[in-house]
Amino acid sequence: RFVARDAGRLRRVKADLPEMRAAPPWIDQVVLTADSFIFARPLPEVPDGESVIAGYPWFGDWGRDTMIALPGLTLATGRYETCSRVLRTFARFVDRGMLPNVFPGAGETPDYNSVDAALWYIEAWRAYVETTGDRNALAAAFPVLAGIIDWHVKGTRYGIALDSQDGLLHAGERGVQITWMDAKIGDWVVTPRIGKPVEINALWFNGLLVMAEFARLLELPDGRYRQLAQQAREGFQRFINTAGGGLYDVLDGPQGNDATVRPNQIFAVSLPHSPLDAPVQADVVSLVGRELLSSCGL
């Protein structure tokens, strides 16, 4: 039964995605393995809701991990309806412009301790709309996405707010860890990164231009998003470390700017919309490759 199911799944993928027809066998295995991370997450408002397991066997579904993984798990494998259902499922839990990092179980309270999950949510919507052209779904979701931007501008949990002086997002409070570098031992936050983290502001700039394009597609005003993006782009140049190369990891922290070389800066190059000119992008890639690249990744 399972062999027949897998064979049927591959036939459907290759019928929908012609580029998959000549794929080597190991790609077929990746497609089938991707399915194991998708599971049912029904809600009263979204009875056919689905979500993504962050990792077996210990983890449930996490907002950040789900949105990062979603394009690869669903759009690249032709599971467009699944992608739509996951996006609609999480929309139900957006609160004060934030996406829960840990999805709540029955009767549980969502944990909104992630500064980047909502920004990855916007990027996941970009990938979905670009792949499917589904403007109806975008129109239904647009108020939620616009609310994310509004809350970040005026300020939300954990000190997350726009600094009107440079157009960048500040985030973080003592005792909490809200970026993906979230290790905490007892009361000790291993990498607090309070201030203006580089990847958060790369995601912010990217999200603003995505929202401008969404507004254009829906024939809505896009000027505010473009204005905020221009301000963020100008402010982002503060991250350029002219002395050490690459980008600062965090600006305006409790001890000033943090020049620690970390992989976070690569997002300022890899996202669809970069706030950096090409020579600076090349410098970032060179620095990260020289200092951080190993046989297991960064």
Side-chain angles (χ1 to χ4, degrees), residues 234-273:
E234 293 171 1
F236 199 90
Q237 308 315 302
R238 296 184 56 217
F239 280 102
I240 300 174
N241 185 349
T242 55
L247 306 178
Y248 285 102
D249 188 58
V250 182
L251 296 179
D252 301 339
Q255 283 78 48
N257 298 338
D258 184 354
T260 305
V261 178
R262 295 186 177 124
N264 305 305
Q265 62 187 289
I266 204 69
F267 288 108
V269 177
S270 63
L271 288 164
H273 300 288

Side-chain angles (χ1 to χ4, degrees), residues 149-185:
I149 301 299
D150 293 342
W151 272 104
H152 281 69
V153 169
K154 66 184 179 182
T156 184
R157 301 173 177 87
Y158 302 115
I160 300 168
L162 180 71
D163 183 341
S164 61
Q165 296 301 307
D166 59 11
L168 301 177
L169 287 181
H170 180 282
E173 296 174 347
R174 190 174 301 278
V176 296
Q177 72 288 20
I178 59 174
T179 73
W180 76 272
M181 304 184 77
D182 56 1
K184 186 175 182 180
I185 304 172

Side-chain angles (χ1 to χ4, degrees), residues 53-258:
I53 285 287
Y56 292 106
W58 298 284
F59 304 135
D61 40 344
W62 296 352
R64 173 191 296 123
D65 299 59
T66 296
M67 296 309 143
I68 292 174
L70 197 61
L73 292 179
T74 60
L75 300 179
T77 60
R79 295 189 60 159
Y80 306 140
E81 285 297 322
T82 290
C83 187
S84 176
R85 283 192 289 268
V86 172
L87 292 171
R88 288 187 289 113
T89 299
F90 272 81
R92 169 67 178 77
F93 290 91
V94 174
D95 182 77
R96 293 173 61 185
M98 297 181 71
L99 202 71
N101 192 37
V102 178
F103 206 102
E108 296 178 349
T109 302
D111 293 325
Y112 289 92
N113 56 341
S114 169
V115 61
D116 53 344
L119 301 176
W120 280 115
Y121 185 62
I122 294 175
E123 170 57 18
W125 267 104
R126 180 208 61 79
Y128 173 74
V129 173
E130 182 179 277
T131 301
T132 67
D134 188 350
R135 294 194 187 187
N136 290 333
L138 174 61
F142 190 84
V144 174
L145 301 175
I148 291 173
I149 301 299
D150 293 342
W151 272 104
H152 281 69
V153 169
K154 66 184 179 182
T156 184
R157 301 173 177 87
Y158 302 115
I160 300 168
L162 180 71
D163 183 341
S164 61
Q165 296 301 307
D166 59 11
L168 301 177
L169 287 181
H170 180 282
E173 296 174 347
R174 190 174 301 278
V176 296
Q177 72 288 20
I178 59 174
T179 73
W180 76 272
M181 304 184 77
D182 56 1
K184 186 175 182 180
I185 304 172
D187 293 331
W188 175 43
V189 177
V190 179
T191 315
R193 304 185 75 219
I194 297 171
K196 297 167 182 172
V198 64
E199 82 281 9
I200 301 307
N201 282 286
L203 282 162
W204 175 241
F205 174 78
N206 181 73
L208 289 169
L209 287 185
V210 168
M211 288 299 294
E213 179 60 16
F214 284 171
R216 186 192 67 79
L217 286 173
L218 299 175
E219 299 182 350
L220 297 171
D222 65 353
R224 176 171 178 259
Y225 299 118
R226 297 195 184 278
Q227 183 179 15
L228 287 168
Q230 179 59 29
Q231 187 182 16
R233 187 186 192 286
E234 293 171 1
F236 199 90
Q237 308 315 302
R238 296 184 56 217
F239 280 102
I240 300 174
N241 185 349
T242 55
L247 306 178
Y248 285 102
D249 188 58
V250 182
L251 296 179
D252 301 339
Q255 283 78 48
N257 298 338
D258 184 354

